[in-house]
Amino acid sequence: MIRISLSDWFTSDLSSAMPVYLVGGTVRDLLLDQRPKDLDLVCRNAGELAEKTALKKNAALVRMGKKPGEACFRVIDRADKDNFLDIAEMRGETICDDLNHRDFTINAIAIRIKEDSDSGEIIDPLNGLQDIGNKLVRMTNETALSSDPLRILRAIRLADLLGFSITHETLKEMELRTGLLNTVPAERIMTELMLMLKRPKSSELFREMERLGILRVIMPETEGMKGCIQSEFQRMDVLEHSMLVMEKCDEVINNLSKYFGKWADEVSKDLESINRAPLLKFAAVLHDVGKPKTRRVDQGTGRLTFQWHDREGARLVDLISKRLKMSNKERDFLVLMVSEHIRVLSVMKKDATDSRKARWFRRMGDEAIPAIILSMADVMAVSYDESDEIYLKDYLSRAKDLIRDYFEKIKGRLGSRNLLSGDDLTGLGITPGPEMGNIISILRTAQDTGEIKSREDALETVKRLLAKP
């Protein structure tokens, strides 16, 4: 017996009109003493129950496309949009038939809602309770994965989410059916990938996907990264290095205070915007995807080179993003991270001038922060001897200082108006054209670095520039 109150939604006349069952992750979470994120129900004539419930509750009713070809309705409390029910049409003749259509045994448990809308008996035809006790993710039947191949990805994420293991038989079936992921709409795959990327150790999930052959199905471009040696000093191939960069991104993102001190909160806010944190980790996997196609042997030195691999990588990431139906903002972010991962090194040099830093920050804006973190992870993911550990420590210290300077000094200046306009320069006898553009750029950079702070400072700077031969 398990108890859950739905009296806020149902009255006895509604719940007794037809058998209604709590199902899926809702029941699983209840059995694990966790608060369910959603309330999922199934019944006959789901649309009718949804309409009556919405009317009784004065709630909004939305028809959902939660599963292809299956009717599902969301009833949303108008006063609290986070409070809703999902009511789906029962599959098959009985609740046991419905549970047999589900993905994993731990999600194939139901609870009958009684007339008092309060308690119900557990219905567990596939021994999901036992698998919950043993912390196992097991497919419900031999066609569970082939009927919806997205479940291959979901199994990996679910095991990580719950701290469970995937059974040997299920893993074998997952590996056998990876090719079927090509039949799944890209939007569904990307939704699942984003959920994985939001996990604290998403690099482990991507390693599992690579081990099972899933990555090469979703992103064939990664296959060329395997076995692509980078140099005689770098023992890892491009793919293993990229996976380690993703792992180091996980580490930095999970420990912002350790790496950025009092600026950790500012960095956190930056990464929360437009899903920058999960997308940054995705960029980490793909930052060197251009290396296999740009790998050359220098005829003079015999050394391996990867000239313009950042450009080729940005081109490939653009194609991958479009194929996965990512939004324009998400695609632009990924392309920027990959194209900038080499350029950021020039800003991180000890002798980098304030002007160079200011110009880069003006071009990047808040997206400079994830670019710096990617650079940190890239440097952390290299095999170092004892002497190089000093370089790594120094690099991470400079990254922290650079982020401090951005939030403490530079960011506020970037939003300020130009001290002089084009009309001001015309009044000084400067003709619109390349010379004026160059002067405006110099003034803007000097303003961003704090070298000039007033209109008078700007006018003096222009006079000096014009006085030069």
Side-chain angles (χ1 to χ4, degrees), residues 6-247:
L6 289 173
S7 56
D8 187 43
W9 286 101
F10 295 125
T11 54
S12 59
D13 61 316
L14 290 182
S15 58
S16 63
M18 57 191 79
V20 181
Y21 303 89
L22 273 171
V23 291
T26 302
V27 177
R28 181 199 70 224
D29 290 344
L30 287 169
L31 292 167
L32 289 168
D33 291 325
Q34 297 176 2
R35 182 181 179 85
K37 293 182 180 179
D38 305 305
L39 289 176
D40 293 324
L41 300 101
V42 297
C43 64
R44 293 279 181 214
N45 302 315
E48 179 184 343
L49 178 63
E51 287 179 6
K52 289 181 177 179
T53 304
L55 184 62
K56 197 87 174 179
K57 180 77 174 174
N58 189 26
L61 177 61
V62 180
R63 186 182 178 97
M64 303 286 289
K66 215 171 182 183
K67 300 181 181 68
E70 296 175 11
C72 181
F73 304 86
R74 179 161 291 180
V75 185
I76 308 169
D77 187 341
R78 295 183 192 276
D80 179 7
K81 292 184 179 179
D82 291 329
N83 184 20
F84 59 83
L85 291 176
D86 285 344
I87 306 175
E89 190 70 25
M90 186 185 295
R91 293 167 291 186
E93 296 298 319
T94 66
I95 185 59
C96 289
D97 290 338
D98 183 276
L99 296 176
N100 272 285
H101 279 90
R102 296 186 175 272
D103 50 9
F104 308 109
T105 58
I106 58 175
N107 294 333
I109 308 170
I111 300 173
R112 169 76 184 268
I113 303 302
K114 291 191 173 182
E115 292 184 11
D116 59 6
S117 304
D118 186 54
S119 62
E121 297 291 339
I122 293 176
I123 302 168
D124 180 26
L126 301 174
N127 296 317
L129 271 170
Q130 182 176 321
D131 282 339
I132 287 176
N134 292 329
K135 297 187 175 182
L136 294 174
V137 175
R138 185 194 309 275
M139 57 187 178
T140 52
N141 55 69
E142 61 184 14
T143 63
L145 303 184
S146 58
S147 63
D148 184 359
L150 187 68
R151 292 168 174 175
I152 295 169
L153 299 183
R154 194 177 298 147
I156 296 172
R157 179 176 61 83
L158 193 60
D160 175 69
L161 179 68
L162 301 174
F164 286 15
S165 299
I166 304 173
T167 66
H168 177 68
E169 295 78 11
T170 303
L171 279 171
K172 283 180 62 178
E173 186 68 14
M174 288 165 63
E175 193 169 5
L176 185 64
R177 304 297 178 188
T178 53
L180 293 176
L181 285 166
N182 280 325
T183 67
V184 179
E187 295 88 346
R188 295 185 71 212
I189 287 178
M190 196 60 226
T191 296
E192 196 63 44
L193 288 179
M194 284 298 288
L195 290 171
M196 288 185 178
L197 290 163
K198 289 177 180 179
R199 298 294 301 151
K201 294 184 178 180
S202 50
S203 55
E204 294 182 3
L205 310 189
F206 271 63
R207 286 183 187 278
E208 181 71 352
M209 284 198 291
E210 198 283 318
R211 190 185 71 78
L212 293 171
I214 295 170
L215 272 192
R216 66 170 175 262
V217 176
I218 298 174
M219 294 179 286
E221 295 83 357
T222 61
E223 190 64 9
M225 298 163 69
K226 292 176 67 174
C228 182
I229 303 302
Q230 302 181 75
S231 74
E232 59 183 299
F233 305 107
Q234 176 60 277
R235 295 190 296 272
M236 294 174 282
D237 64 19
V238 174
L239 184 58
E240 177 55 29
H241 166 72
S242 299
M243 288 292 186
L244 189 54
V245 173
M246 186 185 194
E247 180 184 319

Side-chain angles (χ1 to χ4, degrees), residues 411-428:
K411 184 174 181 178
R413 295 172 186 158
L414 296 180
S416 63
R417 297 179 61 181
N418 288 347
L419 293 169
L420 294 181
S421 66
D423 289 341
D424 291 327
L425 296 180
T426 301
L428 294 171

Side-chain angles (χ1 to χ4, degrees), residues 376-390:
M376 293 167 61
D378 202 3
V379 173
M380 293 164 74
V382 175
S383 299
Y384 287 98
D385 58 31
E386 188 174 340
S387 62
D388 285 336
E389 286 291 344
I390 299 173

Side-chain angles (χ1 to χ4, degrees), residues 263-279:
W263 299 106
D265 287 345
E266 293 293 338
V267 174
S268 179
K269 290 175 188 175
D270 184 281
L271 294 178
E272 287 172 4
S273 177
I274 64 167
N275 279 328
R276 283 193 182 115
L279 290 172

Side-chain angles (χ1 to χ4, degrees), residues 167-441:
T167 66
H168 177 68
E169 295 78 11
T170 303
L171 279 171
K172 283 180 62 178
E173 186 68 14
M174 288 165 63
E175 193 169 5
L176 185 64
R177 304 297 178 188
T178 53
L180 293 176
L181 285 166
N182 280 325
T183 67
V184 179
E187 295 88 346
R188 295 185 71 212
I189 287 178
M190 196 60 226
T191 296
E192 196 63 44
L193 288 179
M194 284 298 288
L195 290 171
M196 288 185 178
L197 290 163
K198 289 177 180 179
R199 298 294 301 151
K201 294 184 178 180
S202 50
S203 55
E204 294 182 3
L205 310 189
F206 271 63
R207 286 183 187 278
E208 181 71 352
M209 284 198 291
E210 198 283 318
R211 190 185 71 78
L212 293 171
I214 295 170
L215 272 192
R216 66 170 175 262
V217 176
I218 298 174
M219 294 179 286
E221 295 83 357
T222 61
E223 190 64 9
M225 298 163 69
K226 292 176 67 174
C228 182
I229 303 302
Q230 302 181 75
S231 74
E232 59 183 299
F233 305 107
Q234 176 60 277
R235 295 190 296 272
M236 294 174 282
D237 64 19
V238 174
L239 184 58
E240 177 55 29
H241 166 72
S242 299
M243 288 292 186
L244 189 54
V245 173
M246 186 185 194
E247 180 184 319
K248 296 302 180 182
C249 277
D250 273 334
E251 180 181 327
V252 174
I253 291 169
N254 294 339
N255 299 280
L256 294 179
S257 294
K258 171 184 174 181
Y259 289 95
F260 304 116
K262 71 175 186 177
W263 299 106
D265 287 345
E266 293 293 338
V267 174
S268 179
K269 290 175 188 175
D270 184 281
L271 294 178
E272 287 172 4
S273 177
I274 64 167
N275 279 328
R276 283 193 182 115
L279 290 172
L280 168 59
K281 292 191 273 187
F282 202 20
V285 177
L286 299 171
H287 77 287
D288 278 345
V289 70
K291 277 190 171 180
K293 287 194 174 183
T294 58
R295 187 176 185 269
R296 302 286 185 274
V297 178
D298 186 288
Q299 296 303 313
T301 64
R303 297 180 63 182
L304 291 173
T305 66
F306 301 91
Q307 191 173 20
W308 307 124
H309 76 272
D310 49 338
R311 293 185 183 180
E312 175 63 13
R315 184 188 72 82
L316 292 173
V317 165
D318 185 62
L319 294 175
I320 292 168
S321 302
K322 289 175 179 175
R323 190 171 66 241
L324 290 174
K325 306 294 184 184
M326 300 178 76
S327 70
N328 290 338
K329 282 186 177 181
E330 291 170 336
R331 184 171 72 244
D332 290 346
F333 177 86
L334 283 182
V335 169
L336 182 64
M337 290 299 105
V338 174
S339 64
E340 287 291 326
H341 84 275
I342 296 297
R343 252 180 239 132
V344 68
L345 296 174
S346 66
V347 185
M348 293 289 294
K349 288 181 178 178
K350 287 184 179 180
D351 60 354
T353 64
D354 289 344
S355 296
R356 174 182 287 182
K357 294 174 185 176
R359 286 193 296 270
W360 186 72
F361 275 119
R362 171 155 290 281
R363 185 163 54 80
M364 295 291 290
D366 283 346
E367 287 174 349
I369 305 306
I372 292 171
I373 293 175
L374 178 57
S375 176
M376 293 167 61
D378 202 3
V379 173
M380 293 164 74
V382 175
S383 299
Y384 287 98
D385 58 31
E386 188 174 340
S387 62
D388 285 336
E389 286 291 344
I390 299 173
Y391 169 76
L392 174 60
K393 185 177 180 180
D394 181 62
Y395 193 90
L396 296 180
S397 177
R398 277 183 277 133
K400 179 180 178 179
D401 291 344
L402 189 61
I403 284 179
R404 176 203 64 205
D405 289 346
Y406 176 68
F407 287 118
E408 198 171 74
K409 305 172 185 176
I410 299 172
K411 184 174 181 178
R413 295 172 186 158
L414 296 180
S416 63
R417 297 179 61 181
N418 288 347
L419 293 169
L420 294 181
S421 66
D423 289 341
D424 291 327
L425 296 180
T426 301
L428 294 171
I430 303 171
T431 305
E435 182 186 21
M436 179 182 285
N438 184 50
I439 290 175
I440 289 175
S441 177

